Structure formats: C-alpha cells, structure tokens
Amino acid sequence: MGGLKRKSSSNAKTLAKSKKKKGPHLPNSILKVIASQKRPLNSDEEEDDDAIDSDDEHGGDLYEYEEGVPEEESRKNNRYDRHDNYDYELPEDFEDENVESEDDVNSENDEDDDRHTRMLQSLTGMPSAAFEGESKSKPVLFTEAYPEGEFNPTRDVLEGKNVLTEEDFLAPLEGKPGYHKTSKQIARMRKDTKHVVHAPLPKPQRERLERKAVIGLVDGEFSKWVHLVKKNREAPTVYFNQDVDLGYSTVGAIASEFQPRTEFEKKMASVLNDSEVSEAHRDDGARLLELNEVSMEDHIKNRDHIAKMRSLLFRHELKSKRIKKIKSKTYHRLKNKDLKNSSLGALLDPEMAKEEAMRQEAKRVEERMTLKHKNTGKWAKRMITRGLNVKYDGTRAAIAEQLQMNANLSRKMNSMRDGSSSDESDDEEELNDGSDEDTASRLIAKAKEKTLKTMEDDGVPNAGLMSLPFMARAMKKKNEEANEEAKRALEEYEEWENSGGENSKKPVSVSGRRVFGATAKVEAPKESKKDSDNFYDSSDSDNDMAGIEDNDMEDIRDNASPAKNTNRNITETEKFDDVAGNPASKTTFDVAMFTSGSWKKMAGCKNTESKKESKKTRVPISRDQDKKGSRDEESEDSESEAEQMVDGVLTSGSKETFEIPSQAELINRAFAGDDVLDEFEKDKEEVLNLEVPKPEKPVLVPGWGNWTNIQRKIGISKRMVMEHEAEEKERKLKLKTRKDARLKHVIISEKVDKKAEKLHTTTLPFPHTSKEVFEHSMRMPIGPEFNPSTVVRELNRPEVVKKTGVIIKPVKFEEVNPNDEVDDEHPRNHQKQRPKKKTGKRQGQVKSKDESYKFLIPWE
Amino acid sequence: MEVALEDNNLMEKVLPPDEQEIDVELEAKEKKYLRGEGANLESVKDKKLKTQLASREKLYGKSAKAAAKIEKWLLPASAGYLETDGLEKTWRIKQTDIAKEVDLLSSRNQYDIVLPDFGPYNLDFTASGRHMLAGGRKGHLALVDMMNMNLIKEIHVRETVRDVAFLHNDQFFAAAQKKYSYIYARDGTEIHCLKERGPVARLRFLKNHFLLASVNKIGQLHYQDVTYGDMVASIRTGKGRTDVMEVNPYNGVVALGHSGGTVTMWKPTSQAPLVQMQCHPGPVSAVAFHPNGHLMATSGKERKVKIWDLRKFEEVQTIHGFHAKTLSFSQKGLLAAGTGSFVQILGDSSGGGYSRYMSHPMVKGYQVEKVMFRPYEDVLGIGHSMGWSSVLIPGSGEPNFDSWVANPFETSKQRREKEVHLLLDKLPPETIMLDPSKIGAMRPSRRKEKPTRGEIEAEKEVAIEAAKSVEMKKKTKGRNKPSKRTKKKKELVENAKKTFPELEEKNIAGKKRRIGEDAAAELPTSLKRFARKN
C-alpha cells in the first residue's frame, strides 16, 4: 500500500505545485477536474497534502515549470508592435474567494483522521494512540540523490548549523554518575594541543606532496644516466659482443677444472694427487719403485685370475677344433639347420650368407616392384576403406606389420653394398700393387702379415658342436703341421724382403735421371730472347726518302683510282708475304733522333755489345753483319744527315715547318671565319627556341573580333596582349637562368634525359631535409676500391655489432665523462646498450615506479 | 741539365725533409682525396643526423689522410722530370741528350721503326701501356708487346685502315677499314664485321661502358655495346663529315670536332648534343682531353691551339703559332701536338698555363699521323707516314700503376679475372653524363608545364572536401533556415569546382558530340544527309 501511495503522491505533487505557484495558466476549475479524474479516492487526498507540505519544507529539489513571458510582452528585438496591456491584471495580494484555504483542508483532514481512528478503535477495541502513530507519525522519506559524504554534505553542515559538539553528547549525561569525570577529561583534552590528531589531509593534496618528494629523488637517480644514454645514442656503432664468456679456451683450462666424481675417478685422483708420489717424481724416481710395490696377495690373486681365463680359453679352443673335424652327416645336417635358423649362421658361412643375401635381394626387388606390402592388397584396401583398421586392434596390428615389412624390404641394403665395395677397393689396391714394380717389398710384407694372421686364426676355430673327442685330436695334429708350414713361409718372406730392398732402389734412380733430363730442357728459350733484343738494338740507317708521300695526296689517290689501288695492294701483299716470312731481314730500322755528334760513342758501345750478342746467338742476320763491317762509314753518313735535320729542327722550332696545303684546304681556310660565328648564333637561337619555345603572338584572326569599326579600332584585346607579355617575360627568365646564358660560344642542352632519371633520387632519404647536405654526404665512395683498408671497415661498420645467440643485457650504469667525445674505437671492456629511445624510457619508468613505491610505504 | 725518368732516381738528391713542406704537400693530397668539402652541418636541425654526419665526415677525413700518407710515403716510384740549369731551355734538349742521361732500360724506348710501304700509322695503347696496336693506312695491322718488343701478330687486311682501337684488353682490337669496321682477336682472326656503321672514320672504345663508339664518313655517331653486340645508339650529328673524335676519360662523353669550328659532345641516350662549342673559326683538326676530364685541348686550322675548362666551358688559354694534326694529353697532363714532321710537347709546370716543354723534330718529310703517350711510361708514341717512333718525354707518365686498375705485368690468369670484374662493373650507357658525380643525387627539378589529369582531379577533390567541411555561422532566427544553409553550401562547392575548368570543358565537349548524334538520329530522313558525320 505504501508504494502505491507514493506513486500517486508524486503525480499529485506536480499538479498541486502548478496550482500553487506558477505553471500554465489554467483555470482552477479545470485543474480540479483533472485532479478528481485522476484520483477518485477521497482518502488519498490527505497524504497528498502531506506530501505538499513536506515539499515546501525541503524545497528546490523538484522540477518546476516556469512559463516564460510571451514574446509579445517581453518586447525583445522590437519585433512586435508596442501596445499597452489593456487586460485586467489582478493585484498581487488578491485572493480567490472560492478556493479553499490550506488550513481548511488540513482541518478537514484532521476530522477525517479522527473519524477513521474512532472507527478502527471501535472495530479492534484497541486504544486510539496505536492507530494515530501508524497514520501520523510516519514521516515521508526523501532519499538524497547522492549518499551523504564529504562531497555531498547535508544542508546543516553547509550552513554551519546543528554541528555536533562535545556538549551535545554530554548534555544528556548530566547528573548521571561519572559525568563529572568525563567532563573533566574533556576539558583537559581541549587544553592539550600536543596530542591532537589532526584530520588527514585531503587526498589530492596528500598526493601532491608525495609526488613532490618523489620527484626530487627520482630526478637525481635519472640525471646520472643521462650522459650514458646520450653517449650510447650518439655512438655510430653499438657493440653487444663484449663481455661474452665463451668458456674455456684450452684443454689445460678445462682439465684444471676437473672434479673426480665416480669411484674410479676418485681413486685415480687420490693416487695422482698423492703427495708422496708427486714428491717421488720430483726427486729422482727411485722411490717410485718402492711405492709401486705390489702386495703378495694381490699378485697371487692376479695370477689366479689370468690362469683361469687362460684355461677357459683353452677349453673353448679344443671344443671348437673338435667340432670342426666331425664328419658325421646327420651332425652336419643338424648343424646347418641350426645355422640357417640363426642369423649368426649366415654370417659365419660365406656361401650361405651369399645365398641368403641373394634371396633377400630378390625379395627386396620384388617388393620394390610390386609394393605388395604397402597396403595395396585387396584385403588391406578393404580394411582401410571400411575403417576396420581403426576399430579392431588385430587388423591394425596386421596392417602395421605389413607396412613394417615393406619398410624393411624396400630399405636400401647398405651393409651388403658396403661389403662389396670395400672388397672391390681391396682388389684394386692389390692390382695396383701388382702393377707397381717398386712395391714388391710391400707385397711381401703383406703376405707375411697374412700368414701370421692365419697362424693365429688357426688356433681359434669357432664351431657349435665340439663335444666329440676324435675331432679335437685330429685338429691338433693338423694345426701343428700348418704352423710349421707358416713358419717356413715366413722365413722365405724375410729373405725376399732383404733382397727386394736392393732391387727396388734401381728403378727409382732411373726415374730421377729422367726428371733431371726434363729440367735441362728449360734453359733453351733464353737465347731466343737475346735474339729479340738484338733485333731492336741493331741500328741500321737505311733511309729511303723517296718513299715518303703526302698524306692528303694519297687520300685522293685512294679514292680516285680503286683499280690501281687494288693492283698496288696485290703487289704490296706479295711484298708483305716476304716480310712475314723473314721480318728481320726486310724491316729496316732508323735512328732519326740520334742527331748529335755524340752518337758515335754510343754507336761504338752498341756495336761491341751487339757483336757479343751475335756471337752468342749464332743467328746471323746477313745485313746486320754487312753493316758491322762498314760501321764507321755509316755513322759518318748518319752524322751528315743529322746535321741536316738539326737545321730543320732549329728552323721549325722558331718558324715551324710549312708545307703547301691543297687548294680546297686553302679555300676552306680563307673563308673559314666569316660566317661560322653567325651560323653558330643562329644554331643557338634555334636550339633555344626548341628547348624554351617562344610564345605565340596574339593575332587577329579574320572574321573574329573585327566586324565593326569599333572592334577594329580596339584591336587585339588587352588581356591577350598582357598574357603574351607575361609569357615573354617568363621565357626571358628561363633563358637567363640557363647555364649557357652568358656563354656566347656554347650551347648546353638542358633536355631532360629520361633514361638517366632513374639514376637520381626523387625524394630525399628520411632524416635529410636539405638537398645540399645530402649530396655532400654522398660525395665520398665507401667501397674498398676507394679507401685504404684501414678505414674501409670503419666506414662500412653496421649500426649494431652483435654475435648471434648472445643475450643482450640491459644497460649497466657506468661513469661517463660528458666532455668526452664519442670514440669510434672498438670498446674492449664494456658492453654498451643500443641507443634506442624506447628501451631507455621504459626502463626509466619502471625504475621510477619502484622508487615511488619505496617512498609510499612510510606514508601508508 | 738533369733528366730523370720514372723509376729512376739516379739524379735525385735526397734533401733533409722539411717538415712544413711535407705538411703542405700532405694537406694538398688530403684535399684531393676528400673529393670536395663536407656539408655545412650548422644548417642541419636534426640533432641525430648532425651527429651521424659529423662522425661520417670524421671517417672521411681519416680515410683521406691515410690515403695521402700512403701516396706520400709508400708509393714505390717517383715521377720523372727534366731539369735544366742556367740559360738552358728544356725544349732545346734533344732525344740524344736524354739518351745519354737515362738508364739502359729507358733508352731502349727510343727508336724509330721504319715501315715505308704501308703509309701513315695510327696507334693505340692498351690501358696498361703494355701493348701497342699500329694500323697502317694501307692495311698493315701490327700488335706489339712493348715490354719485350715482341711482335705478337702482324696482319695485312689489303684495304684502307683509317683507325685502330683496342677493346678492353689486348685480346681484341677493332680496325676501321675501307667499307666496314672489323674486330680482330689477338691472333689476327677476324671475329666480327661491323657492317651497320658504314665506312668508319674514327673508332674509340669506352672502357667503363664497353661501348665501341665510331663516327662514319657521313657524320653519324654510333655506339655499340661489345658485350652483346647491340647498337645502343646511332645518332646523326648533322654537322657533316669529320674525323676528329675523342672520348673524355672522366665521364665517357664523346667529343667530335667539325669543319665549322664547333666541337660537339655526345652521349648515347640523347639524340641532341649535350654541348656545342664554337671553338675555332676554321675547321677543328684535333681534340684531346686531360685525364681528369676538366681540360680539353682543341686545335684549329687557323694555327691556334686552345685549352678549355670543361667545368665552365670557357677558354683558358690560346697558344698561337701552330696547328696540330693530332693532340694527346699524357697521364701527368703534358700535351703533345703533332704537325707535319714536328712534334711539340707542352707542359703546365708552373700552373700558369701550358708552355713549351719539349720538342721533337722528325726526319724531314715524315708526316705525323698520331701522337699518343704510353700509359705508365715516360714515352710518347708517334705514328707517322714512315712507320712509328717512340721518344722519351720525362715526367709524362704516371710512375705508379695500380694493379687493380691497369697492370702492365699482368698474367693471363689476372687478365681473365680482370675481364670478369670489368664485365661485372660495366656501366650502363645512361650513366654517361657531363657530371657523373651527380649520380645518386636529387633529380634536378623539372619545370612543370602542365599538371596531369590525375593530379588535377586529386586537387579538385581536396578543394571540394574543403568547401564541404566549412562550418556555417549560426545566424539569427529568421536567417538560419536549413534550406538556406544547404543552398549556401552547394554554392561553395560549385565555386570550388569552377576553379578547375579544364575537365569540365572536356566533359561538355563529349556531351555535345553525343547530343549531335542524337539529333542526327531524330532528324527526318530527308534531312539526315545534312547531319554532321563524325
């Protein structure tokens, strides 16, 4: 019932309010009607009124509708015409007579209540007080929108009223026992300011203080890292391969760390580290013998053990010998059967092994051909398709077995192959040995070795059945015979060996002589070299001045008469063939530069030299020889010639040689400089026009814009003229900025080469912002071809140097002098941290947190 | 007079080392190895990059220092020189005088080989200077080992040989013959006949690119890759016939000299010349490049030799008084010029420009066809109408060879390995450019003529998005109608679209055409024949 009541009350509240205060201007009668319609029950009205009362008391918490002044009346913006308000306005203190006053309502309500209680009293027979409390004393609860707290204080607190004091608490206790005492205590407490516990500071303030304290400390902690981080950041290369302990480097180092663990090792260690032993070693070793003494018991024990082993061995020997001698067929049949069944047998008997291998091989081949066991059979397929292999363990096992078999059979048979190949190689070796004469001794040695082996082998036959005594006896006999034979063979071998060593030396020496012969051949070519030297040193002055031809003339001849040319060519080639046949005799040599008189001496020198050489070479050049005879004459000749030439040179030095140029050339020269420059200028103009095109001149097109006289008078529109001028200006600017703008005699093409564009970058690489800086930084090549090897490595060192698998440790604190420059040298002792911003920061944050925790603890 | 050839310090006096001098020398060398200066790190804002670059730069400095020290102290041989005392002039010194002073081995490099029958001889040396190829005009080809003066092979091709050139090593050589050019092996067997190029006037081989460049009689320039035989480029120069052609060893650019006095420079990837220079008023008779690629020497028929700086394309020096039929720079920068029967060597000893260094008169009447310095030796080879000669020019050759670059004492195994390395390191033809150090740098910004369609569309979309997302002001009651708001927004978007008119126009044109077609379909049959046919 309470819930219902409250709902209705809230409805009524708004209505009542509107009625009471402002709200829309509805006539009271209408309001009443609405109210009555909504609340048919009379009894509810009482509560409604109560609610209204309480509303008034608390006030302001509920929404009120405020009707604004109508726009006409407010006269804002002067939008409406001004007019006086002719409506009748009620005076402010006017009271409507028809409306019941609130007091009346209350009294009425009281009356109703009385009646109600009386009724209840008569019905229940209980005192009226009980009902009164139920109906009246129950206050209406208005819960606050927010819980009471420091941010949402009650009104009392805000106004400073009704604050509780000690007196308030004490007042009810007055007169009660102990009051005096407590009041005294309180008084004392008031006076005492020392032990007052103040209220804790508000949270934000408290935190601010905390932060302040922490910042000071953390700053100090951080600032010491700054230099280190800066240094790492600036380092061109960071190394992470320092401080890496890769363990021991030498065997000795490893051995020194050895700790005996097993019993044996411990024993050994105790012996080895025995001070007595080591001392004995250090002295003269005489005491070692004493220390090495074996006790009698140990000796006997050892001897017995050996004897036992020997006897066992001997018995086994006898057994096997005897078994080998058995001739009984049944026995052998049984034995073979046993062997066949056991894989060991196959290994022992070579023939059987071979047979077995063949069989196995055939099986393998068959398997590989048919793939019979790869679950390709009918049954297996069926099983697999129906999923029976999963269902039943038996089938699964069977299929797995088949697969296993297949794997076994189709596996490459390594063991067999290896055996055969090794055999082959052995054979080859033997063959080689046989073919080689020098290695006879080795062969003998081998034979010897084999016989020795057989001798030893004979002693240990291995057979399964050796229980028959006749076999043992026979075996022994045979063994002795064989041994004797082997001994004899050995003696023979030794004899051969001794003789063979002498024999084998001979062929070796022969081969050596052969080699020697080959080396002797090498010396030959030296002589021919001298020959060639002589070829150019020998100086023949056989000048044929007639052969000189004018260059240009010859050109003309070449072009004019091809037929003649070919003829000549043929003759020339004939000559040439001769030349090719004997170049030394045909080609002639001339020393035109030896012009002064001092040549004589030189020639003399050379003459003697060449004589010597010619003696050596024994390749007489007929002409040369002739010349030698008449050397003096010739040199005189050359001298005279030289004088002539000297004249020529002197004149040419000052005047220069001059030959009559051809007619065409003369004409060319005569008219050369006339128009060439003009032509070039024209060319340049053309090129410029091509590369920086001239703007079109604005022209009046007939029929466009010149129909009337006025139009004609105006002429070309101003806009067009202006545009043209602007274009012209632009062109001039372009021409001015060209490289060849100031060079009259040069045209430098500024065409863009599209193919070469890919050799340039379109954008600057990231950290660069200026083109100049980038290009300057690119000017030096860093390859090994362009730099000394001492610097190449440094130039090409990566940003981070690290060994694979090395754990990168976090940066360690170390003192860094901030004034030190960053050195590119490879650091030896310490590990640097990569200069990455992120890691540094993150570490910093973590650190600060830790610190702050520390500082927070005393506060809490 | 003092003469010293490389590897030969007979005349050298050991002076007590002056520390300062050494320092200066080392510094100069270090600078050379630093290849220019480092960037100004002050302008770099990124701290990390700054430190990185600084450490790099330090390493570069270290490398350069080490290299300079190695060059200073560890190189085995010193360059040759020619010193005169008093009034004696270096150019008055004759070969005979030199012959007296030098050791026996060097004096062997002075000789004339007279082959009067087969006309003026063209020469070519291998990169190591070990082998020489001589091509007589009238068909005589000879391959000579210069170390031991061994004639390796001599063949006669029975037709005009205009030029000869070694390929990457002594195993192959090319000869420009009357109609075609051919490639021969070392033993004289003909391997290829290069018919595509026509009658070739000059042949040059680009070592790093494996390209055989040639210019033919009608002025066409051909580049052929000798590794797989493809014709990489054939360019019509359009400047007429020329037989002046040289390769810039620094960047592989081919220079041609023309009859109009222009020198044009070419690369295989462009049909237009990289550079055209008006060098002489008359025809250009010879061109040569300094090994460092910065200097070019040209000679015109108007009796002038000019030296050009190729970094600025400006004339550095004009030498009056003679014209050269053939020019050649030595490894150390001496310039040899041959005219008629006279060879002159110019040197830049003081740094103030080229002046007479030595001269060598041939026998009167000999016509010099080609002069070429032998690499790694102080020797000048002269091909002339009566064979070829060899003279000593002290201080012309690089004294120390790098066996990884060119080894005169190469074994066959080394040669094979080198060949493989060369092939692996072969540069593609597009790497030929005026400044190869720009490879890997930023692409030179191209002036944009017109943005592409895609770019325009993207831009448009961005503009429209921006227009859509504009926040409208909240206006007073009556003016804040949603219909008005949407209208306004639409207007904004329309305005944004209007700034990109091209696309719209195209669409309109397409629409128009469609409309025309429709109209044609709707026309009555009698009028249909007047409809525009598309």
Side-chain angles (χ1 to χ4, degrees), chain A residues 536 548-549 551 555 590 593-594 649 652 656 676 745 747 749 753 758-759 761 776 779 787 794-795, chain B residues 37 56-57 62-63 96 112 114 137-138 149 260 267 269 274 276 278 322 342 361 365 430 440-441 443:
Chain A
Y536 282 110
I548 300 162
E549 286 169 348
N551 226 355
D555 261 3
D590 179 20
M593 60 244 174
F594 299 125
V649 168
S652 66
E656 239 199 30
V676 162
H745 58 278
I747 310 167
S749 159
D753 186 2
K758 66 185 171 192
L759 302 170
T761 57
H776 272 284
R779 76 182 193 285
N787 288 295
E794 272 179 64
L795 277 169
Chain B
E37 285 188 5
R56 278 265 110 171
E57 212 55 54
K62 212 171 159 189
S63 166
T96 45
D112 281 356
V114 174
R137 181 91 185 172
K138 284 161 197 161
M149 292 309 286
K267 64 175 177 179
T269 48
L274 285 175
Q276 299 180 53
Q278 184 67 44
F322 72 100
F342 192 74
E430 56 264 22
R443 182 183 292 175

Side-chain angles (χ1 to χ4, degrees), chain B residues 421-440:
Chain B
H421 275 290
L422 278 175
L423 282 170
L424 288 175
D425 295 342
K426 182 186 137 187
L427 296 175
E430 56 264 22
T431 53
I432 298 175
M433 53 178 80
L434 277 178
D435 188 1
S437 67
K438 281 277 174 286
I439 290 174

Side-chain angles (χ1 to χ4, degrees), chain A residues 422-672:
Chain A
S422 70
D423 277 353
E424 276 168 21
S425 67
D426 273 359
D427 287 350
E428 277 170 18
E429 268 180 33
E430 277 173 10
L431 276 173
N432 286 341
D433 291 345
S435 66
D436 210 330
E437 290 176 358
D438 304 334
T439 50
S441 59
R442 223 198 300 161
L443 199 75
I444 290 161
K446 211 169 189 180
K448 201 170 143 190
E449 212 174 69
K450 268 190 179 172
T451 47
L452 278 170
K453 218 182 214 172
T454 47
M455 275 169 73
E456 281 165 19
D457 278 352
D458 283 348
V460 194
N462 37 8
L465 306 167
M466 239 345 182
S467 55
L468 303 174
F470 63 92
M471 281 178 69
R473 261 175 280 135
M475 201 67 154
K476 209 176 179 184
K477 234 188 225 170
K478 191 110 195 202
N479 221 4
E480 277 168 8
E481 276 176 23
N483 272 347
E484 265 178 41
E485 210 174 272
K487 268 175 194 168
R488 254 180 282 141
L490 270 177
E491 276 167 20
E492 263 180 32
Y493 288 148
E494 267 166 39
E495 271 177 26
W496 282 345
E497 230 173 21
N498 292 340
S499 61
E502 286 162 24
N503 286 338
S504 63
K505 266 177 194 171
K506 274 185 181 176
V508 170
S509 69
V510 165
S511 71
R513 211 179 291 154
R514 255 185 231 150
V515 169
F516 186 70
T519 50
K521 268 184 186 173
V522 178
E523 287 178 27
K526 273 186 184 173
E527 291 173 312
S528 60
K529 254 187 192 170
K530 273 175 190 169
D531 210 290
S532 68
D533 283 353
N534 190 30
F535 180 88
Y536 282 110
D537 270 346
S538 61
S539 51
D540 291 5
S541 53
D542 191 357
N543 296 348
D544 219 332
M545 300 293 276
I548 300 162
E549 286 169 348
D550 193 279
N551 226 355
D552 300 336
M553 296 281 279
E554 186 212 314
D555 261 3
I556 292 156
R557 219 191 298 152
D558 265 358
N559 294 330
S561 56
K564 200 177 153 192
N565 199 17
T566 48
N567 274 342
R568 243 182 73 191
N569 269 348
I570 290 160
T571 53
E572 272 166 15
T573 45
E574 279 169 11
K575 270 188 211 165
F576 179 71
D577 284 344
D578 287 353
V579 170
N582 191 3
S585 65
K586 239 324 174 153
T587 47
T588 52
F589 311 100
D590 179 20
V591 185
M593 60 244 174
F594 299 125
T595 48
S596 71
S598 64
W599 155 238
K600 259 187 191 171
K601 267 187 207 165
M602 293 283 289
C605 277
K606 245 171 216 161
N607 205 359
T608 52
E609 224 178 72
S610 58
K611 262 179 193 167
K612 272 182 208 164
E613 277 168 9
S614 65
K615 269 175 201 167
K616 258 187 207 168
T617 52
R618 296 166 316 197
V619 185
I621 304 166
S622 59
R623 258 198 158 163
D624 216 18
Q625 297 278 26
D626 289 351
K627 287 280 138 56
K628 262 174 213 157
S630 57
R631 175 59 74 179
D632 286 11
E633 265 180 51
E634 203 192 274
S635 58
E636 271 174 17
D637 274 6
S638 71
E639 206 179 299
S640 62
E641 253 177 37
E643 272 170 8
Q644 275 180 10
M645 272 190 298
V646 165
D647 285 346
V649 168
L650 285 173
T651 51
S652 66
S654 53
K655 280 187 225 164
E656 239 199 30
T657 53
F658 186 74
E659 79 267 15
I660 298 162
S662 68
Q663 191 68 22
E665 207 177 325
L666 272 177
I667 289 166
N668 230 358
R669 260 189 226 173
F671 297 101

Side-chain angles (χ1 to χ4, degrees), chain A residues 41-81:
Chain A
L41 278 174
N42 267 345
S43 59
D44 284 344
E45 269 185 41
E46 304 166 312
E47 271 86 21
D48 286 349
D49 286 344
D50 277 352
I52 290 158
D53 285 350
S54 65
D55 245 359
D56 284 345
E57 273 174 17
H58 291 275
D61 274 345
L62 292 163
Y63 172 74
E64 287 178 352
Y65 174 73
E66 266 188 51
E67 194 192 27
V69 186
E71 274 183 318
E72 297 94 311
E73 285 169 34
S74 69
R75 287 176 190 160
K76 257 185 207 166
N77 301 337
N78 299 333
R79 207 186 265 182
Y80 298 92
D81 293 344

Side-chain angles (χ1 to χ4, degrees), chain B residues 100-335:
Chain B
K100 274 187 282 177
E101 304 286 342
V102 298
D103 58 340
L104 198 71
L105 216 66
S106 304
S107 71
R108 280 195 185 151
N109 282 322
Q110 290 180 313
Y111 57 82
D112 281 356
I113 291 193
V114 174
L115 301 159
D117 294 332
F118 303 122
Y121 275 83
N122 250 308
L123 302 178
D124 193 24
F125 288 102
T126 51
S128 63
R130 173 77 185 258
H131 295 92
M132 190 187 77
L133 185 65
R137 181 91 185 172
K138 284 161 197 161
H140 178 210
L141 295 177
L143 181 60
V144 187
D145 187 343
M146 300 300 274
M147 201 70 79
N148 47 19
M149 292 309 286
N150 214 356
L151 186 65
I152 291 164
K153 191 66 194 178
E154 193 178 31
I155 52 171
H156 200 281
V157 294
R158 301 195 195 183
E159 58 180 12
T160 317
V161 171
R162 293 196 198 84
D163 201 6
V164 287
F166 271 116
L167 300 193
H168 56 282
N169 56 22
D170 62 309
Q171 298 297 301
F172 303 102
F173 60 89
Q177 293 176 23
K178 195 180 177 196
K179 208 170 173 190
Y180 307 123
S181 39
Y182 295 85
I183 291 177
Y184 296 97
R186 182 187 158 98
D187 54 359
T189 48
E190 179 192 320
I191 289 176
H192 295 294
C193 173
L194 312 173
K195 287 185 179 170
E196 216 176 321
R197 340 167 147 243
V200 168
R202 278 281 171 273
L203 271 176
R204 288 289 176 273
F205 184 69
L206 280 68
K207 253 168 267 155
N208 298 327
H209 309 269
F210 275 80
L211 294 176
L212 187 64
S214 66
V215 65
N216 66 7
K217 270 186 176 176
I218 48 173
Q220 283 178 326
L221 180 63
H222 292 276
Y223 286 92
Q224 190 161 25
D225 195 312
V226 297
T227 53
Y228 60 98
D230 223 23
M231 190 64 83
V232 171
S234 72
I235 300 161
R236 292 169 64 193
T237 58
K239 302 252 174 189
R241 179 180 178 169
T242 178
D243 62 346
V244 181
M245 177 186 188
E246 208 57 56
V247 178
N248 188 344
Y250 169 63
N251 51 18
V253 168
V254 167
L256 298 175
H258 301 280
S259 58
T262 52
V263 169
T264 50
M265 298 189 187
W266 303 84
K267 64 175 177 179
T269 48
S270 89
Q271 290 288 318
L274 285 175
V275 179
Q276 299 180 53
M277 294 170 77
Q278 184 67 44
C279 294
H280 295 278
V284 177
S285 60
V287 175
F289 285 99
H290 195 279
N292 68 11
H294 298 326
L295 288 184
M296 177 177 77
T298 60
S299 159
K301 287 262 169 80
E302 86 282 11
R303 296 167 69 77
K304 269 178 197 164
V305 170
K306 287 183 182 175
I307 310 237
W308 301 82
D309 188 343
L310 289 181
R311 290 168 289 190
K312 295 187 284 182
F313 296 102
E314 272 173 5
E315 190 184 321
V316 179
Q317 197 187 352
T318 310
I319 301 154
H320 295 272
F322 72 100
H323 110 267
K325 192 173 187 316
T326 155
L327 285 169
S328 168
F329 270 103
S330 82
Q331 282 178 322
K332 281 286 187 183
L334 298 182
L335 177 63

